Amino acid sequence: MKLFIKFDINTICSLYLKQNLEQNNVNFTTLGFGEIEIEDNLDAEALDNLKTKLAPCGFEVVENQKSVLVQKIKDAIIELVFMDDSNNYKSSVFLAEKLNHSYGYLSNVFSEVTYSSIENFIILQKIERAKQLIIINEMSLTEIAFLLNYSSVAHLSTQFKNTTGITPSAFQRIIKKRRENLK
């Protein structure tokens, strides 16, 4: 039997984090995606233990202020890209309003810490979302392009190919072939 499972990565991350914090008897309050406030002071050993438990699934405690801001930028971009009405927002305005900094400042900090641009990160996230939507197979490429705020399917296809090395249509064919082989 083959099942296709649709999931929300934000929910999975939040549940995993909650479970690990509770197992380690850490009292906390969730402030936002990727941001918690620990109600008790953790000693260095307890903090190291927590970091070690979270690391295998890719969780990392961010301690440098610029790195914290970059993580907030990444979280906001992911939130924007995965919104169903994301094409109602211009990314620069969304980030500036959400993070209470000018877009120019956010862009400079992001580039300084990651050696890449916010625009490149947005493209990567949009392509990941496009791949997810293609796999789910509920929307046409035209609908996906519109949802992700591309001016056309051709624009989506160009960025998809530049990022993945194949076109969205080729990706669709690969997914279809894999499903047929699994039957």
Side-chain angles (χ1 to χ4, degrees):
M1 173 194 295
K2 177 173 55 170
L3 299 174
F4 293 97
I5 300 172
K6 185 176 181 179
F7 57 88
D8 177 13
I9 195 71
N10 296 338
T11 303
I12 293 168
C13 289
S14 295
L15 289 173
Y16 181 82
L17 186 60
K18 181 180 182 213
Q19 179 184 8
N20 271 279
L21 291 169
E22 287 174 351
Q23 283 177 354
N24 287 288
N25 298 316
V26 175
N27 296 318
F28 69 97
T29 304
T30 303
L31 302 176
F33 182 70
E35 187 174 5
I36 61 169
E37 182 173 353
I38 297 178
E39 295 168 6
D40 307 317
N41 286 331
L42 295 180
D43 61 27
E45 183 180 340
L47 184 58
D48 285 342
N49 183 34
L50 184 60
K51 288 178 186 178
T52 301
K53 295 223 182 215
L54 295 175
C57 285
F59 288 91
E60 179 182 342
V61 176
V62 181
E63 299 179 55
N64 165 311
Q65 285 305 308
K66 284 186 177 180
S67 295
V68 168
L69 182 56
V70 166
Q71 189 59 50
K72 286 182 179 183
I73 294 168
K74 288 179 176 182
D75 293 342
I77 290 168
I78 291 167
E79 177 185 336
L80 176 65
V81 169
F82 282 80
M83 272 197 243
D84 287 334
D85 62 344
S86 65
N87 58 2
N88 293 335
Y89 300 97
K90 187 171 181 183
S91 57
S92 58
V93 173
F94 179 82
L95 290 171
E97 288 177 357
K98 181 147 182 88
L99 300 173
N100 297 318
H101 289 287
S102 74
Y103 181 76
Y105 175 73
L106 295 172
S107 181
N108 287 338
V109 169
F110 193 91
S111 297
E112 178 185 324
V113 172
T114 67
Y115 303 106
S116 184
S117 68
I118 286 177
E119 291 77 14
N120 284 339
F121 188 77
I122 291 170
I123 291 168
L124 291 173
Q125 293 310 308
K126 287 170 81 170
I127 298 307
E128 285 305 311
R129 177 85 194 274
K131 289 193 303 190
Q132 188 180 57
L133 292 168
I134 290 168
I135 290 169
I136 292 170
N137 198 28
E138 293 178 354
M139 300 172 81
S140 69
L141 289 178
T142 303
E143 292 169 322
I144 292 170
F146 177 76
L147 178 70
L148 296 176
N149 205 19
Y150 283 100
S151 57
S152 65
V153 175
H155 186 207
L156 166 63
S157 294
T158 299
Q159 284 193 343
F160 196 99
K161 183 165 183 169
N162 289 342
T163 304
T164 66
I166 60 173
T167 65
S169 300
F171 185 75
Q172 279 180 320
R173 286 191 298 273
I174 291 168
I175 297 302
K176 184 178 179 186
K177 191 81 152 168
R178 285 185 182 166
R179 286 183 178 148
E180 289 170 359
N181 289 339
L182 291 174
K183 289 182 181 177

